[in-house]
Amino acid sequence: MSPTTCDDGAMITVGLVLSAGGMHAAAHHAGVLSALAEATGWDPRTADVIVGTSAGATSAVALRAGLSATDQAGRYVGRPLSPEGQAVVDRVTTPFDLPTTPPRPESRRPANPLLAARGLFGRGRPRPVVALAGLLPEGTVEGTLFRERAEQLHPGHWPDRPTWICAVDLDSGRRVVFGRDDVDADIGTAVHASCAVPGFLRPVESAGHRYVDGGIHSTTNADLLATLGLDLVVVSSSMTAVRGLDAWPGGPLGRAWHSRTLVREVEAIRRRGAAVLVIEPTADDLALRGSDDLDPFPDDPPLNEVCETARISTLARLAHPASERARGLLTTTAAQDRDLVP
């Protein structure tokens, strides 16, 4: 697709951030993205760069594979998919069959006890979830289904458009950004690593390194986009909450920590002049969920309800005056993209 331009000829650039958060996050992202497309006409598949973490990595790959926002939501709410979307979905043959009760660890030995010190007392902001990941024993469940499903969804080494998948090096505690950093990995390995929940799934070994879920560094990792000079960054964040609800239970340390982390990341982006649109759970979203975001098999609520409630919350957020600038940029981008189609 040709570059999108403003009336004065300047290119509009849009970054998209899709957070961690288990099955709830995948349904949340589908609802958010479908609402954005519905309200503004913007197609999230055209984002100039997508940052995906854990569940957000799978949603990012689905977009880059050609599965539209409308079709992603349709899979949850039971609507027929477009012929294009159905063709993408039909490529995935590996079932999603993680065990509901993981087997006991083969050893109680911590995966990397040094991360406790690095996560709490290393340079920069403390990362207590990194510290916790080092103290937990290695997971026992193979997560190869994440790799296989990603490879089936998106055949080929890597998407053509910039796609950044976040994981953490279990030996150093450092964040690794597949698709940006000088790390040789295909899209399946990157998604597998990004989804490797410590203490549950085995770390992913690649090129002499052990990788685990990128959400232990940050559930959003939105700060990666701060220095790119983008016009707009859209953040779909499932493990935080709107102001006043950030102490709502959920996640290994509660939503308060994750919400404060996201606030810092958004401030860093805005200091560079970009508009930021953050879509995160409201009271209605949180009251519906009930169970832990990271539960891989939430029985209550049905994920179709998570998706639909997120869609409604997002439409309300877009109608608020505070979203006017972001909504205008997305609407303009969508119109210009249509004009560029032959």
Side-chain angles (χ1 to χ4, degrees):
M1 180 173 290
S2 302
T4 300
T5 58
C6 299
D7 292 338
D8 61 1
M11 184 172 66
I12 296 177
T13 50
V14 182
L16 175 62
V17 176
L18 301 171
S19 79
M23 299 294 286
H24 285 164
H28 173 86
H29 297 327
V32 169
L33 296 174
S34 66
L36 290 169
E38 177 183 344
T40 70
W42 178 65
D43 187 342
R45 292 176 294 183
T46 68
D48 292 278
V49 58
I50 302 179
V51 175
T53 302
S54 197
T58 65
S59 299
V61 172
L63 288 173
R64 292 312 200 201
L67 191 63
S68 71
T70 301
D71 282 337
Q72 289 204 33
R75 295 181 70 190
Y76 285 101
V77 302
R79 287 196 307 267
L81 306 189
S82 68
E84 176 190 29
Q86 191 63 55
V88 173
V89 169
D90 287 345
R91 294 201 294 257
V92 181
T93 58
T94 298
F96 193 92
D97 58 356
L98 289 174
T100 55
T101 303
R104 290 185 177 183
E106 298 170 357
S107 169
R108 294 185 179 277
R109 181 179 178 181
N112 182 3
L114 290 177
L115 287 193
R118 292 176 182 173
L120 295 175
F121 307 112
R123 294 181 178 179
R125 188 172 186 242
R127 302 284 174 180
V129 191
V130 172
L132 177 62
L135 294 175
L136 289 172
E138 286 193 6
T140 56
V141 177
E142 294 290 350
T144 53
L145 67 89
F146 290 105
R147 184 187 72 243
E148 293 170 1
R149 290 171 66 88
E151 291 172 346
Q152 293 159 4
L153 193 63
H154 190 286
H157 187 78
W158 202 266
D160 292 333
R161 286 176 174 266
T163 308
W164 295 356
I165 306 299
C166 301
V168 168
D169 187 317
L170 186 56
D171 297 308
S172 69
R174 295 187 179 91
R175 176 174 60 188
V176 176
V177 185
F178 295 102
R180 186 203 68 167
D181 297 347
D182 186 16
V183 180
D184 185 17
D186 59 22
I187 193 66
T189 299
V191 171
H192 186 187
S194 188
C195 293
V197 178
F200 177 46
L201 299 180
R202 292 186 186 277
V204 175
E205 297 188 10
S206 179
H209 294 269
R210 297 182 299 164
Y211 298 108
V212 291
D213 196 319
I216 70 173
H217 178 89
S218 164
T219 61
T220 44
N221 291 291
D223 60 300
L224 292 171
L225 301 184
T227 61
L228 297 188
L230 298 167
D231 296 300
L232 172 65
V233 174
V234 178
V235 181
S236 176
S237 177
S238 181
M239 293 186 71
T240 59
V242 297
R243 184 169 297 181
L245 298 175
D246 57 7
W248 198 290
L253 295 177
R255 295 186 184 275
W257 179 267
H258 303 314
S259 296
R260 287 195 294 269
T261 299
L262 178 57
V263 166
R264 288 181 172 86
E265 293 174 351
V266 168
E267 288 174 347
I269 298 170
R270 285 179 171 149
R271 282 197 297 269
R272 301 287 181 137
V276 183
L277 175 64
V278 177
I279 308 295
E280 51 194 339
T282 64
D284 288 342
D285 294 301
L286 295 176
L288 172 67
R289 295 185 186 189
S291 62
D292 188 337
D293 273 326
L294 298 181
D295 181 357
F297 293 97
D299 296 322
D300 183 22
L303 294 178
N304 65 321
E305 295 182 19
V306 174
C307 176
E308 180 61 16
T309 303
R311 185 187 73 86
I312 294 170
S313 297
T314 303
L315 291 174
R317 178 74 172 87
L318 289 169
H320 194 278
S323 302
E324 182 177 1
R325 181 184 175 194
R327 187 175 65 246
L329 286 169
L330 290 176
T331 301
T332 301
T333 301
Q336 291 170 338
D337 284 343
R338 288 193 295 270
D339 290 342
L340 291 170
V341 175

